[in-house]
Amino acid sequence: MTDVVKSYPPSEKGGAPVVAIDNVSVDVERGDVYGIIGYSGAGKSTLVRLVNGLEKATSGSIVVNGTEITSLKERSMRAVRGDIGMIFQQFNLFNSKTVAKNVAYPLEVAGRPAAEIAARVAEMLAFVGLSDKAKNYPDQLSGGQKQRVGIARALATSPSLLLADEATSALDPETTSEVLALLDRVNRELGVTIILITHEMDVIRSLATKVAVMDGGQIVERGDVFDVFAHP
Ligand code: ADP
Ligand code: ADP
């Protein structure tokens, strides 16, 4: 991102526009685990929504995998989004679909052949350690298991970038460690770049290599995790 501004229009009651992202430049490189930390309202979610094109920047430039996305039409944006996986605080699984069907979903949307989908679903469930849960429904899983399904679904189409928005914030500390260990394997074994949004410093400490601290829509500090957190 270079000099990105995102302002939301004033509410119906009037007033000033909300500047959610205030002239942010940030460079995430392939293979990074890049942490974005900040309090509620700092602009973290907006930043992520700009990267996957769910929000349009008011000004500035955003390049994802070599493609400048700020002026893309929706159809071209879908192609860029195909190379981005996303996981969420509340997992966002389909409760009426089995675990296998949840993981299969993005492959079905992409129109992959049934045999390829079956093989890929099996592969992803093995990777996250849930092969024995393929026929279960999300309601029958623990929070940590649900997020592992979320990770399997996010990576089913082999994206090169994973956006994790408060992905461990609904989990207890032990389960958080398990999910962070899995994300570490996603980065190291699959080579997936991860942008990790969180309000928890421990999450950044245990997984990220680089960190940007956001406040009021700006990056107020950034660098290697060790350096940034060595001088609190
Ligand atoms: P964070 O993820 O760090 O909590 P957000 O990106 O959600 O921060 O919000 C940043 C600012 O933008 C906040 O002031 C928030 O109220 C505002 N905001 C976020 N989404 C919208 C929206 N759709 N319309 C208007 N204001 C918004
Ligand atoms: P349906 O019976 O409606 O196809 P399933 O949940 O049985 O729903 O299958 C969803 C997808 O996951 C299918 O592509 C299927 O081939 C695959 N699948 C089903 N069970 C497993 C399993 N145990 N391991 C791996 N893939 C599976």
Side-chain angles (χ1 to χ4, degrees):
M1 290 193 173
T2 308
D3 300 333
V4 170
V5 173
K6 171 64 186 178
S7 57
Y8 293 107
S11 70
E12 281 162 23
K13 289 179 218 136
V18 177
V19 181
I21 299 293
D22 186 5
N23 204 31
V24 164
S25 298
V26 61
D27 193 6
V28 178
E29 285 171 48
R30 196 169 286 274
D32 278 349
V33 179
Y34 202 111
I36 312 266
I37 190 167
Y39 296 116
S40 180
K44 309 182 296 296
S45 293
T46 300
L47 198 80
V48 168
R49 293 168 62 79
L50 287 167
V51 172
N52 64 18
L54 293 175
E55 297 284 357
K56 281 268 174 241
T58 307
S59 61
S61 166
I62 305 174
V63 176
V64 178
N65 285 332
T67 303
E68 155 61 55
I69 64 164
T70 50
S71 55
L72 280 189
K73 297 250 186 319
E74 182 55 28
R75 184 219 276 259
S76 316
M77 191 59 224
R78 272 201 291 275
V80 172
R81 216 176 275 141
D83 200 34
I84 303 176
M86 197 158 179
I87 55 175
F88 308 89
Q89 178 168 6
Q90 295 304 331
F91 322 120
N92 295 19
L93 300 180
F94 301 108
N95 287 321
S96 60
K97 290 181 190 285
T98 63
V99 164
K101 273 290 187 188
N102 267 278
V103 178
Y105 181 76
L107 298 160
E108 287 169 356
V109 169
R112 311 308 306 173
E116 182 191 321
I117 294 176
R120 184 64 180 159
V121 168
E123 186 181 19
M124 288 316 301
L125 289 182
F127 183 80
V128 302
L130 289 176
S131 299
D132 58 333
K133 301 290 184 194
K135 299 279 182 192
N136 287 83
Y137 286 84
D139 288 349
Q140 301 168 305
L141 304 181
S142 70
Q145 289 172 333
K146 284 183 197 171
Q147 194 56 291
R148 281 149 66 193
V149 176
I151 291 167
R153 182 180 61 179
L155 299 177
T157 55
S158 309
S160 62
L161 174 63
L162 178 67
L163 304 176
D165 190 358
E166 299 283 0
T168 59
S169 300
L171 305 175
D172 61 49
E174 196 178 325
T175 314
T176 292
S177 302
E178 281 173 28
V179 169
L180 292 178
L182 176 57
L183 290 175
D184 191 51
R185 286 180 52 220
V186 166
N187 175 249
R188 289 171 193 276
E189 294 175 26
L190 306 181
V192 174
T193 305
I194 300 177
I195 299 180
L196 190 68
I197 303 290
T198 183
H199 65 279
E200 295 171 303
M201 207 181 281
D202 286 346
V203 167
I204 301 277
R205 272 214 184 88
S206 71
L207 189 63
T209 47
K210 295 176 192 163
V211 62
V213 183
M214 286 196 75
D215 191 17
Q218 299 183 323
I219 294 179
V220 294
E221 199 171 355
R222 75 177 84 205
D224 292 339
V225 168
F226 182 82
D227 296 331
V228 170
F229 290 153
H231 311 286

